[in-house]
Amino acid sequence: MKKIYLDHNATTPLDPMILEAMLPYYRDVFGNASSVHEFGRLARKGIDEARAKVASLLGAKDVDEVVFTGSGTESDNFAIKGAADNLKAKGNHIITSSIEHHAVLNTCKFLEQNGYKVTYLKTDKFGIVDLNELKDSITDKTILISIMYANNEIGTIEPVSDISKIAKEKDVLFHTDAVQATGKVPMNASKLGADLISLSAHKFYGPKGVGALFIKKGVKLTRLLHGGHHEKNRRGGTENVAGIVGLGKAAELASKNMSESQTRIKALRDKLHNGITENIKHTYLNGHPENRLCNTVNISFEYLEGESIILNLDMEGVGVSTGSACTSGSLEPSHVLTSMGVSPVRAQGSIRFSLGKDNNEEDIDYVIKALPPIIDRLRKMSPLYKG
Ligand SMILES: *Cc1c(COP(=O)(O)O)cnc(C)c1O
């Protein structure tokens, strides 16, 4: 049976070229990068080169602005908890949005239990945060604004440049979770002016379990992992050298291939979108019609549960997701869709298709053909559907 992977926002396959770049660091270059002998120096060299590549992808001015971490989740935790603790004498107020990834939302929830106040900005119907509400929320106690670069469920790209300007005017730190944007949207950290940027290797064809946090020169964070003097004394722990080399290679390939591969993927995404909405009734796009990631299309199939569509597509060899990690047993609708004002019925029937560089026209044709009979069959069984 054909196997078609359309869940690249959950994770991407490891690019064989990236695997090749990593293998020597498992086979031969095993040294501890902190060791002074040649074994250590070779590992250090691998890390240094990777740091330069990530800095270049991000448009960082100084390579030391890049700190390697163990995941996108860790980068978000480090940025938010690190800033909150470091600035606790200045204030205790944080502003974020209600559509963030749980790595940000649950970190903010944790801080709320520890004396911090958090404002969760609502968004418009396309998932874009309201800049006026942002401005109005800032007080003299505000220490951090954390708004994602692009949303993982709907792909909507936030007005991060405007947010960065507002933050700067008010002398508030700005963190952006760019885990989904990295490798898909050209980025320039210095131009953007963000203080903190999170990214993760496995969302753009690198290995799992390695991420990075851009920390603008001069920005101070309380460290998350206490230990040795690794990462310029910002994160303890012997470096995951092969993983870091993989992240570096992912950054290099993304810099080189981004514009070409994104144009191709966008065309496939639009073909899929049109193929679905033209052939299946009661379908609606979730997210911004233009201003969104070139690989993401989130569609509500009204009167249905997303889970049952996933299971049926899975039986046809197609991997997609609802875009929300559903809490075991209960079918909670996505927090992203509900805070955009999508009705619970529509939110429950939503499916996120997220494409990648290895998808082709055939894959899309297959899905466009497989879906209508599935939806038809499920709707006939749905108590909500009246024909
Ligand atoms: C995947 C993801 C994360 C978490 O990254 P991990 O490396 O899987 O921990 C954080 N934010 C967003 C927007 C994501 O898509």
Side-chain angles (χ1 to χ4, degrees):
M1 188 174 57
K2 219 173 154 58
K3 294 269 179 228
I4 299 173
Y5 186 71
L6 294 177
D7 202 9
H8 291 79
N9 289 9
T11 195
T12 56
L14 184 66
D15 185 311
M17 283 168 72
I18 296 176
L19 176 63
E20 282 305 318
M22 293 170 70
L23 284 175
Y25 291 86
Y26 284 122
R27 290 197 175 119
D28 311 313
V29 189
F30 62 87
N32 184 320
S34 301
S35 302
V36 289
H37 44 62
E38 189 180 3
F39 300 91
R41 287 199 308 273
L42 284 174
R44 172 61 53 203
K45 186 163 173 275
I47 294 177
D48 288 345
E49 286 169 5
R51 201 185 308 280
K53 288 172 185 172
V54 174
S56 161
L57 176 69
L58 290 180
K61 276 199 188 118
D62 187 332
V63 288
D64 286 333
E65 291 178 319
V66 175
V67 174
F68 292 113
T69 66
S71 61
T73 300
E74 185 190 320
S75 299
D76 287 340
N77 271 264
F78 185 17
I80 297 169
K81 290 179 193 163
D85 186 76
N86 189 252
L87 294 170
K88 60 180 183 255
K90 184 186 170 204
N92 67 345
H93 180 229
I94 295 165
I95 301 172
T96 186
S97 81
S98 50
I99 64 160
E100 298 294 312
H101 190 274
H102 283 114
V104 168
L105 284 181
N106 287 339
T107 302
C108 289
K109 294 255 152 66
F110 168 79
L111 288 174
E112 278 184 295
Q113 290 161 10
N114 287 278
Y116 290 86
K117 301 261 178 288
V118 181
T119 301
Y120 299 90
L121 299 176
K122 284 262 176 294
T123 71
D124 68 10
K125 63 178 178 173
F126 300 124
I128 291 186
V129 296
D130 184 334
L131 295 179
N132 288 322
E133 196 192 346
L134 170 64
K135 280 183 208 152
D136 292 344
S137 306
I138 299 174
T139 71
D140 55 1
K141 291 272 180 249
T142 308
I143 49 176
L144 176 71
I145 298 169
S146 178
I147 305 285
M148 67 203 320
Y149 205 116
N151 183 272
N152 45 301
E153 290 191 24
I154 52 172
T156 295
I157 296 170
E158 299 299 333
V160 281
S161 289
D162 297 329
I163 297 168
S164 183
K165 269 192 214 99
I166 293 168
K168 195 150 293 131
E169 274 163 25
K170 302 280 185 176
D171 198 21
V172 174
L173 285 185
F174 174 46
H175 165 245
T176 185
D177 174 344
V179 172
Q180 285 299 338
T182 311
K184 298 182 187 127
V185 180
M187 224 175 275
N188 188 324
S190 8
K191 227 176 159 179
L192 176 62
D195 298 289
L196 300 156
I197 304 174
S198 301
L199 61 102
S200 177
H202 78 100
K203 298 290 175 74
F204 65 116
Y205 308 101
K208 291 167 184 63
V210 57
L213 181 64
F214 164 89
I215 307 175
K216 193 161 82 184
K217 204 172 182 168
V219 171
K220 293 212 163 39
L221 298 180
T222 302
R223 59 195 291 171
L224 197 61
L225 293 188
H226 296 88
H229 297 286
H230 309 88
E231 293 296 288
K232 300 262 148 61
N233 218 6
R234 290 174 294 197
R235 179 192 190 261
T238 301
E239 295 88 344
N240 170 9
V241 182
I244 289 169
V245 167
L247 171 53
K249 189 71 186 177
E252 178 195 320
L253 293 177
S255 305
K256 210 183 290 171
N257 304 331
M258 191 177 328
S259 66
E260 188 219 321
S261 85
Q262 296 312 318
T263 311
R264 205 178 60 78
I265 293 170
K266 185 169 186 281
L268 292 178
R269 179 201 72 178
D270 293 341
K271 178 184 164 101
L272 178 64
H273 177 197
N274 295 332
I276 292 171
T277 50
E278 282 164 14
N279 293 308
I280 305 173
K281 272 193 278 187
H282 313 295
T283 49
Y284 307 89
L285 176 73
N286 297 309
H288 198 282
E290 282 102 39
N291 205 6
R292 72 178 201 281
L293 295 174
C294 48
N295 79 319
T296 307
V297 56
N298 184 312
I299 291 179
S300 280
F301 297 85
E302 214 167 20
Y303 312 114
L304 295 179
E305 302 274 14
E307 307 300 316
S308 55
I309 303 172
I310 290 178
L311 294 177
N312 278 270
L313 278 174
D314 185 37
M315 287 189 272
E316 306 277 346
V318 181
V320 299
S321 83
T322 53
S324 65
C326 78
T327 36
S328 57
S330 76
L331 291 166
E332 284 278 312
S334 143
H335 71 282
V336 173
L337 297 182
T338 45
S339 57
M340 285 159 60
V342 175
S343 73
V345 180
R346 277 194 195 172
Q348 221 132 40
S350 72
I351 293 289
R352 176 187 71 188
F353 304 86
S354 50
L355 285 66
K357 66 186 176 65
D358 298 326
N359 290 127
N360 55 34
E361 299 262 346
E362 252 177 69
D363 295 346
I364 303 307
D365 288 332
Y366 183 93
V367 176
I368 293 173
K369 200 160 162 242
L371 254 178
I374 291 174
I375 301 299
D376 215 36
R377 195 165 65 235
L378 291 174
R379 278 196 180 142
K380 281 189 182 127
M381 297 189 299
S382 166
L384 299 167
Y385 189 59
K386 309 225 163 44

